[in-house]
Amino acid sequence: SAESKKDFIHKISISLKEAKESNYWLYILKESKIIEHNYNVYIEQNITIIKLLTKIIFTSKKSPP
């Protein structure tokens, strides 16, 4: 629901920031032993999301308006 390309990039950047923060919280959950199994699956999925969002931002900034 972005209103412009600049707004779209901004919204995706916020999503990227939140995904990176999720890595921190997943680590905290692992260290506190709240989640012990499937931890690597969650991290791998989150890293995939981070890579996707990063690529979307890069491509959007590179493409003409």
Side-chain angles (χ1 to χ4, degrees):
S1 64
E3 297 176 9
S4 66
K5 182 177 176 179
K6 185 178 176 181
D7 186 40
F8 174 76
I9 293 169
H10 176 70
K11 289 178 187 297
I12 298 298
S13 296
I14 292 170
S15 298
L16 177 59
K17 179 182 170 190
E18 295 296 329
K20 288 178 177 180
E21 186 177 334
S22 293
N23 266 355
Y24 168 76
W25 287 110
L26 284 168
Y27 176 76
I28 296 295
L29 290 170
K30 177 189 175 209
E31 291 301 307
S32 64
K33 303 207 186 311
I34 292 173
I35 57 170
E36 294 183 29
H37 50 78
N38 292 335
Y39 171 76
N40 290 334
V41 173
Y42 300 133
I43 288 294
E44 287 173 16
Q45 289 175 347
N46 198 49
I47 288 172
T48 300
I49 290 169
I50 289 170
K51 287 178 181 178
L52 254 167
L53 293 171
T54 302
K55 183 68 175 173
I56 289 169
I57 292 168
F58 177 77
T59 303
S60 296
K61 285 182 176 180
K62 198 169 91 172
S63 69

PDB file of all heavy atoms in Angstrom, residues 33-56:
ATOM      1  N   LYS A  33      16.576 -20.902  26.701  1.00  0.00           N
ATOM      2  CA  LYS A  33      16.060 -22.265  26.561  1.00  0.00           C
ATOM      3  C   LYS A  33      14.535 -22.322  26.434  1.00  0.00           C
ATOM      4  O   LYS A  33      13.909 -23.336  26.733  1.00  0.00           O
ATOM      5  CB  LYS A  33      16.555 -23.157  27.688  1.00  0.00           C
ATOM      6  CG  LYS A  33      18.068 -23.209  27.779  1.00  0.00           C
ATOM      7  CD  LYS A  33      18.549 -24.480  28.392  1.00  0.00           C
ATOM      8  CE  LYS A  33      20.021 -24.510  28.617  1.00  0.00           C
ATOM      9  NZ  LYS A  33      20.902 -24.138  27.572  1.00  0.00           N
ATOM     10  N   ILE A  34      13.941 -21.219  26.002  1.00  0.00           N
ATOM     11  CA  ILE A  34      12.498 -21.212  25.735  1.00  0.00           C
ATOM     12  C   ILE A  34      12.228 -22.000  24.456  1.00  0.00           C
ATOM     13  O   ILE A  34      11.258 -22.735  24.364  1.00  0.00           O
ATOM     14  CB  ILE A  34      11.957 -19.771  25.650  1.00  0.00           C
ATOM     15  CG1 ILE A  34      12.028 -19.133  27.041  1.00  0.00           C
ATOM     16  CG2 ILE A  34      10.538 -19.744  25.096  1.00  0.00           C
ATOM     17  CD1 ILE A  34      11.680 -17.662  27.091  1.00  0.00           C
ATOM     18  N   ILE A  35      13.099 -21.837  23.469  1.00  0.00           N
ATOM     19  CA  ILE A  35      13.049 -22.699  22.294  1.00  0.00           C
ATOM     20  C   ILE A  35      14.405 -23.377  22.176  1.00  0.00           C
ATOM     21  O   ILE A  35      15.440 -22.724  22.253  1.00  0.00           O
ATOM     22  CB  ILE A  35      12.700 -21.954  20.986  1.00  0.00           C
ATOM     23  CG1 ILE A  35      13.688 -20.823  20.702  1.00  0.00           C
ATOM     24  CG2 ILE A  35      11.287 -21.456  20.979  1.00  0.00           C
ATOM     25  CD1 ILE A  35      13.535 -20.223  19.331  1.00  0.00           C
ATOM     26  N   GLU A  36      14.370 -24.668  22.063  1.00  0.00           N
ATOM     27  CA  GLU A  36      15.618 -25.407  21.910  1.00  0.00           C
ATOM     28  C   GLU A  36      15.639 -26.166  20.593  1.00  0.00           C
ATOM     29  O   GLU A  36      16.659 -26.218  19.926  1.00  0.00           O
ATOM     30  CB  GLU A  36      15.810 -26.361  23.088  1.00  0.00           C
ATOM     31  CG  GLU A  36      16.021 -25.634  24.401  1.00  0.00           C
ATOM     32  CD  GLU A  36      16.274 -26.585  25.552  1.00  0.00           C
ATOM     33  OE1 GLU A  36      16.811 -27.678  25.319  1.00  0.00           O
ATOM     34  OE2 GLU A  36      15.927 -26.218  26.685  1.00  0.00           O
ATOM     35  N   HIS A  37      14.528 -26.742  20.234  1.00  0.00           N
ATOM     36  CA  HIS A  37      14.486 -27.473  18.971  1.00  0.00           C
ATOM     37  C   HIS A  37      13.913 -26.554  17.902  1.00  0.00           C
ATOM     38  O   HIS A  37      13.197 -25.590  18.188  1.00  0.00           O
ATOM     39  CB  HIS A  37      13.650 -28.752  19.091  1.00  0.00           C
ATOM     40  CG  HIS A  37      12.294 -28.516  19.701  1.00  0.00           C
ATOM     41  ND1 HIS A  37      11.252 -27.980  18.993  1.00  0.00           N
ATOM     42  CD2 HIS A  37      11.828 -28.719  20.955  1.00  0.00           C
ATOM     43  CE1 HIS A  37      10.194 -27.867  19.780  1.00  0.00           C
ATOM     44  NE2 HIS A  37      10.516 -28.306  20.984  1.00  0.00           N
ATOM     45  N   ASN A  38      14.261 -26.806  16.680  1.00  0.00           N
ATOM     46  CA  ASN A  38      13.849 -26.019  15.514  1.00  0.00           C
ATOM     47  C   ASN A  38      14.440 -24.614  15.484  1.00  0.00           C
ATOM     48  O   ASN A  38      14.076 -23.811  14.643  1.00  0.00           O
ATOM     49  CB  ASN A  38      12.325 -25.926  15.396  1.00  0.00           C
ATOM     50  CG  ASN A  38      11.687 -27.249  15.058  1.00  0.00           C
ATOM     51  OD1 ASN A  38      12.331 -28.112  14.466  1.00  0.00           O
ATOM     52  ND2 ASN A  38      10.449 -27.416  15.426  1.00  0.00           N
ATOM     53  N   TYR A  39      15.347 -24.298  16.388  1.00  0.00           N
ATOM     54  CA  TYR A  39      15.952 -22.961  16.399  1.00  0.00           C
ATOM     55  C   TYR A  39      16.607 -22.643  15.056  1.00  0.00           C
ATOM     56  O   TYR A  39      16.394 -21.564  14.497  1.00  0.00           O
ATOM     57  CB  TYR A  39      16.984 -22.853  17.525  1.00  0.00           C
ATOM     58  CG  TYR A  39      17.798 -21.591  17.474  1.00  0.00           C
ATOM     59  CD1 TYR A  39      17.246 -20.375  17.875  1.00  0.00           C
ATOM     60  CD2 TYR A  39      19.109 -21.604  17.003  1.00  0.00           C
ATOM     61  CE1 TYR A  39      17.988 -19.213  17.817  1.00  0.00           C
ATOM     62  CE2 TYR A  39      19.854 -20.445  16.949  1.00  0.00           C
ATOM     63  CZ  TYR A  39      19.292 -19.247  17.355  1.00  0.00           C
ATOM     64  OH  TYR A  39      20.019 -18.093  17.290  1.00  0.00           O
ATOM     65  N   ASN A  40      17.379 -23.588  14.543  1.00  0.00           N
ATOM     66  CA  ASN A  40      18.070 -23.360  13.267  1.00  0.00           C
ATOM     67  C   ASN A  40      17.092 -23.137  12.126  1.00  0.00           C
ATOM     68  O   ASN A  40      17.366 -22.355  11.223  1.00  0.00           O
ATOM     69  CB  ASN A  40      19.020 -24.510  12.953  1.00  0.00           C
ATOM     70  CG  ASN A  40      20.215 -24.520  13.876  1.00  0.00           C
ATOM     71  OD1 ASN A  40      20.602 -23.484  14.414  1.00  0.00           O
ATOM     72  ND2 ASN A  40      20.797 -25.685  14.087  1.00  0.00           N
ATOM     73  N   VAL A  41      15.964 -23.804  12.167  1.00  0.00           N
ATOM     74  CA  VAL A  41      14.946 -23.620  11.134  1.00  0.00           C
ATOM     75  C   VAL A  41      14.427 -22.190  11.164  1.00  0.00           C
ATOM     76  O   VAL A  41      14.305 -21.532  10.124  1.00  0.00           O
ATOM     77  CB  VAL A  41      13.774 -24.619  11.306  1.00  0.00           C
ATOM     78  CG1 VAL A  41      12.644 -24.315  10.344  1.00  0.00           C
ATOM     79  CG2 VAL A  41      14.265 -26.048  11.130  1.00  0.00           C
ATOM     80  N   TYR A  42      14.144 -21.681  12.357  1.00  0.00           N
ATOM     81  CA  TYR A  42      13.652 -20.310  12.496  1.00  0.00           C
ATOM     82  C   TYR A  42      14.687 -19.301  12.014  1.00  0.00           C
ATOM     83  O   TYR A  42      14.361 -18.338  11.315  1.00  0.00           O
ATOM     84  CB  TYR A  42      13.269 -19.993  13.945  1.00  0.00           C
ATOM     85  CG  TYR A  42      12.185 -20.869  14.505  1.00  0.00           C
ATOM     86  CD1 TYR A  42      12.318 -21.444  15.762  1.00  0.00           C
ATOM     87  CD2 TYR A  42      11.020 -21.126  13.786  1.00  0.00           C
ATOM     88  CE1 TYR A  42      11.321 -22.247  16.301  1.00  0.00           C
ATOM     89  CE2 TYR A  42      10.022 -21.929  14.311  1.00  0.00           C
ATOM     90  CZ  TYR A  42      10.176 -22.492  15.565  1.00  0.00           C
ATOM     91  OH  TYR A  42       9.181 -23.274  16.086  1.00  0.00           O
ATOM     92  N   ILE A  43      15.928 -19.517  12.389  1.00  0.00           N
ATOM     93  CA  ILE A  43      17.003 -18.615  11.977  1.00  0.00           C
ATOM     94  C   ILE A  43      17.168 -18.650  10.462  1.00  0.00           C
ATOM     95  O   ILE A  43      17.278 -17.595   9.821  1.00  0.00           O
ATOM     96  CB  ILE A  43      18.335 -18.977  12.683  1.00  0.00           C
ATOM     97  CG1 ILE A  43      18.270 -18.583  14.150  1.00  0.00           C
ATOM     98  CG2 ILE A  43      19.526 -18.323  12.007  1.00  0.00           C
ATOM     99  CD1 ILE A  43      18.193 -17.086  14.403  1.00  0.00           C
ATOM    100  N   GLU A  44      17.181 -19.836   9.870  1.00  0.00           N
ATOM    101  CA  GLU A  44      17.335 -19.960   8.417  1.00  0.00           C
ATOM    102  C   GLU A  44      16.192 -19.258   7.684  1.00  0.00           C
ATOM    103  O   GLU A  44      16.420 -18.566   6.686  1.00  0.00           O
ATOM    104  CB  GLU A  44      17.401 -21.426   8.009  1.00  0.00           C
ATOM    105  CG  GLU A  44      18.708 -22.099   8.382  1.00  0.00           C
ATOM    106  CD  GLU A  44      18.686 -23.591   8.119  1.00  0.00           C
ATOM    107  OE1 GLU A  44      17.803 -24.076   7.376  1.00  0.00           O
ATOM    108  OE2 GLU A  44      19.566 -24.279   8.671  1.00  0.00           O
ATOM    109  N   GLN A  45      14.970 -19.434   8.177  1.00  0.00           N
ATOM    110  CA  GLN A  45      13.830 -18.778   7.546  1.00  0.00           C
ATOM    111  C   GLN A  45      13.939 -17.260   7.669  1.00  0.00           C
ATOM    112  O   GLN A  45      13.666 -16.524   6.720  1.00  0.00           O
ATOM    113  CB  GLN A  45      12.522 -19.268   8.165  1.00  0.00           C
ATOM    114  CG  GLN A  45      12.185 -20.688   7.793  1.00  0.00           C
ATOM    115  CD  GLN A  45      10.953 -21.209   8.504  1.00  0.00           C
ATOM    116  OE1 GLN A  45      10.470 -20.617   9.457  1.00  0.00           O
ATOM    117  NE2 GLN A  45      10.447 -22.337   8.026  1.00  0.00           N
ATOM    118  N   ASN A  46      14.362 -16.793   8.819  1.00  0.00           N
ATOM    119  CA  ASN A  46      14.490 -15.354   9.020  1.00  0.00           C
ATOM    120  C   ASN A  46      15.618 -14.784   8.160  1.00  0.00           C
ATOM    121  O   ASN A  46      15.473 -13.690   7.605  1.00  0.00           O
ATOM    122  CB  ASN A  46      14.716 -15.035  10.495  1.00  0.00           C
ATOM    123  CG  ASN A  46      14.435 -13.592  10.799  1.00  0.00           C
ATOM    124  OD1 ASN A  46      13.400 -13.056  10.419  1.00  0.00           O
ATOM    125  ND2 ASN A  46      15.352 -12.948  11.472  1.00  0.00           N
ATOM    126  N   ILE A  47      16.702 -15.502   8.027  1.00  0.00           N
ATOM    127  CA  ILE A  47      17.801 -15.051   7.170  1.00  0.00           C
ATOM    128  C   ILE A  47      17.335 -14.982   5.716  1.00  0.00           C
ATOM    129  O   ILE A  47      17.694 -14.048   4.989  1.00  0.00           O
ATOM    130  CB  ILE A  47      19.039 -15.952   7.340  1.00  0.00           C
ATOM    131  CG1 ILE A  47      19.673 -15.674   8.709  1.00  0.00           C
ATOM    132  CG2 ILE A  47      20.056 -15.730   6.226  1.00  0.00           C
ATOM    133  CD1 ILE A  47      20.780 -16.612   9.095  1.00  0.00           C
ATOM    134  N   THR A  48      16.519 -15.925   5.302  1.00  0.00           N
ATOM    135  CA  THR A  48      15.956 -15.888   3.951  1.00  0.00           C
ATOM    136  C   THR A  48      15.104 -14.636   3.755  1.00  0.00           C
ATOM    137  O   THR A  48      15.200 -13.962   2.726  1.00  0.00           O
ATOM    138  CB  THR A  48      15.104 -17.156   3.681  1.00  0.00           C
ATOM    139  OG1 THR A  48      15.938 -18.307   3.810  1.00  0.00           O
ATOM    140  CG2 THR A  48      14.486 -17.123   2.293  1.00  0.00           C
ATOM    141  N   ILE A  49      14.312 -14.300   4.741  1.00  0.00           N
ATOM    142  CA  ILE A  49      13.487 -13.090   4.680  1.00  0.00           C
ATOM    143  C   ILE A  49      14.379 -11.852   4.596  1.00  0.00           C
ATOM    144  O   ILE A  49      14.129 -10.948   3.786  1.00  0.00           O
ATOM    145  CB  ILE A  49      12.535 -13.016   5.892  1.00  0.00           C
ATOM    146  CG1 ILE A  49      11.467 -14.093   5.776  1.00  0.00           C
ATOM    147  CG2 ILE A  49      11.907 -11.628   6.009  1.00  0.00           C
ATOM    148  CD1 ILE A  49      10.642 -14.293   7.036  1.00  0.00           C
ATOM    149  N   ILE A  50      15.433 -11.807   5.403  1.00  0.00           N
ATOM    150  CA  ILE A  50      16.357 -10.675   5.392  1.00  0.00           C
ATOM    151  C   ILE A  50      17.006 -10.525   4.013  1.00  0.00           C
ATOM    152  O   ILE A  50      17.089  -9.419   3.469  1.00  0.00           O
ATOM    153  CB  ILE A  50      17.419 -10.827   6.497  1.00  0.00           C
ATOM    154  CG1 ILE A  50      16.766 -10.613   7.869  1.00  0.00           C
ATOM    155  CG2 ILE A  50      18.589  -9.859   6.293  1.00  0.00           C
ATOM    156  CD1 ILE A  50      17.651 -10.961   9.050  1.00  0.00           C
ATOM    157  N   LYS A  51      17.446 -11.632   3.427  1.00  0.00           N
ATOM    158  CA  LYS A  51      18.060 -11.586   2.099  1.00  0.00           C
ATOM    159  C   LYS A  51      17.066 -11.094   1.049  1.00  0.00           C
ATOM    160  O   LYS A  51      17.421 -10.297   0.175  1.00  0.00           O
ATOM    161  CB  LYS A  51      18.592 -12.965   1.713  1.00  0.00           C
ATOM    162  CG  LYS A  51      19.836 -13.360   2.467  1.00  0.00           C
ATOM    163  CD  LYS A  51      20.292 -14.753   2.073  1.00  0.00           C
ATOM    164  CE  LYS A  51      21.522 -15.184   2.835  1.00  0.00           C
ATOM    165  NZ  LYS A  51      21.938 -16.553   2.481  1.00  0.00           N
ATOM    166  N   LEU A  52      15.837 -11.577   1.133  1.00  0.00           N
ATOM    167  CA  LEU A  52      14.798 -11.153   0.189  1.00  0.00           C
ATOM    168  C   LEU A  52      14.524  -9.656   0.291  1.00  0.00           C
ATOM    169  O   LEU A  52      14.491  -8.944  -0.730  1.00  0.00           O
ATOM    170  CB  LEU A  52      13.496 -11.909   0.496  1.00  0.00           C
ATOM    171  CG  LEU A  52      13.083 -13.005  -0.441  1.00  0.00           C
ATOM    172  CD1 LEU A  52      11.972 -13.825   0.181  1.00  0.00           C
ATOM    173  CD2 LEU A  52      12.664 -12.454  -1.759  1.00  0.00           C
ATOM    174  N   LEU A  53      14.334  -9.176   1.511  1.00  0.00           N
ATOM    175  CA  LEU A  53      14.055  -7.756   1.716  1.00  0.00           C
ATOM    176  C   LEU A  53      15.227  -6.892   1.266  1.00  0.00           C
ATOM    177  O   LEU A  53      15.025  -5.839   0.650  1.00  0.00           O
ATOM    178  CB  LEU A  53      13.714  -7.489   3.182  1.00  0.00           C
ATOM    179  CG  LEU A  53      12.405  -8.105   3.687  1.00  0.00           C
ATOM    180  CD1 LEU A  53      12.292  -7.962   5.196  1.00  0.00           C
ATOM    181  CD2 LEU A  53      11.212  -7.493   2.995  1.00  0.00           C
ATOM    182  N   THR A  54      16.443  -7.342   1.548  1.00  0.00           N
ATOM    183  CA  THR A  54      17.635  -6.607   1.121  1.00  0.00           C
ATOM    184  C   THR A  54      17.689  -6.512  -0.399  1.00  0.00           C
ATOM    185  O   THR A  54      17.965  -5.444  -0.957  1.00  0.00           O
ATOM    186  CB  THR A  54      18.909  -7.287   1.670  1.00  0.00           C
ATOM    187  OG1 THR A  54      18.827  -7.333   3.095  1.00  0.00           O
ATOM    188  CG2 THR A  54      20.162  -6.542   1.255  1.00  0.00           C
ATOM    189  N   LYS A  55      17.407  -7.600  -1.075  1.00  0.00           N
ATOM    190  CA  LYS A  55      17.414  -7.618  -2.541  1.00  0.00           C
ATOM    191  C   LYS A  55      16.320  -6.715  -3.100  1.00  0.00           C
ATOM    192  O   LYS A  55      16.544  -5.993  -4.085  1.00  0.00           O
ATOM    193  CB  LYS A  55      17.237  -9.055  -3.045  1.00  0.00           C
ATOM    194  CG  LYS A  55      17.295  -9.211  -4.530  1.00  0.00           C
ATOM    195  CD  LYS A  55      18.674  -8.925  -5.059  1.00  0.00           C
ATOM    196  CE  LYS A  55      18.723  -9.221  -6.551  1.00  0.00           C
ATOM    197  NZ  LYS A  55      19.978  -8.799  -7.139  1.00  0.00           N
ATOM    198  N   ILE A  56      15.146  -6.726  -2.495  1.00  0.00           N
ATOM    199  CA  ILE A  56      14.050  -5.868  -2.942  1.00  0.00           C
ATOM    200  C   ILE A  56      14.456  -4.393  -2.827  1.00  0.00           C
ATOM    201  O   ILE A  56      14.235  -3.605  -3.752  1.00  0.00           O
ATOM    202  CB  ILE A  56      12.764  -6.144  -2.143  1.00  0.00           C
ATOM    203  CG1 ILE A  56      12.187  -7.504  -2.521  1.00  0.00           C
ATOM    204  CG2 ILE A  56      11.729  -5.042  -2.374  1.00  0.00           C
ATOM    205  CD1 ILE A  56      11.076  -7.984  -1.598  1.00  0.00           C
TER     206      ILE A  56
END
